[in-house]
Amino acid sequence: DWVFACAFSPDGTRVVTASFDETARVWNAENGTLFLVLEGHTSPVNGCAFSPDGKRIVTAGGDRKARVFSAETGECLLIIEGEHTDELT
């Protein structure tokens, strides 16, 4: 599927990608091995970023929600929604 955005982790060891398939994926930046699949959005994921300390990942979806995930486990820690009237990028 299409990749809409990507970002390196602060230490440069991982890459997160945001995809049309409603997921974000975390990859090993050295060898391309898939590390985590971040799920929960109900439409394409348009944006993604690591937190400055590399411990969390935020995703922005066409479902007008931002989700915060653990960068180690992939657990969704927080869903931010409510005030957006259009999809997030």
Side-chain angles (χ1 to χ4, degrees):
D1 278 316
W2 296 345
V3 173
F4 293 125
C6 55
F8 275 99
S9 61
D11 65 6
T13 62
R14 293 171 290 163
V15 173
V16 60
T17 58
S19 179
F20 184 78
D21 71 357
E22 302 177 3
T23 69
R25 295 172 188 260
V26 182
W27 309 86
N28 180 305
E30 299 282 324
N31 62 25
T33 303
L34 181 63
F35 181 62
L36 291 171
V37 178
L38 308 177
E39 299 178 301
H41 285 285
T42 57
S43 63
V45 180
N46 299 323
C48 55
F50 278 90
S51 62
D53 63 8
K55 293 182 179 180
R56 292 165 293 163
I57 296 168
V58 63
T59 58
D63 56 5
R64 299 185 308 231
K65 296 177 184 173
R67 293 176 179 267
V68 178
F69 294 90
S70 164
E72 294 302 315
T73 67
E75 176 188 1
C76 184
L77 304 172
L78 177 66
I79 300 170
I80 302 167
E81 62 181 315
E83 295 299 319
H84 297 285
T85 59
D86 204 353
E87 66 182 59
L88 303 180
T89 58

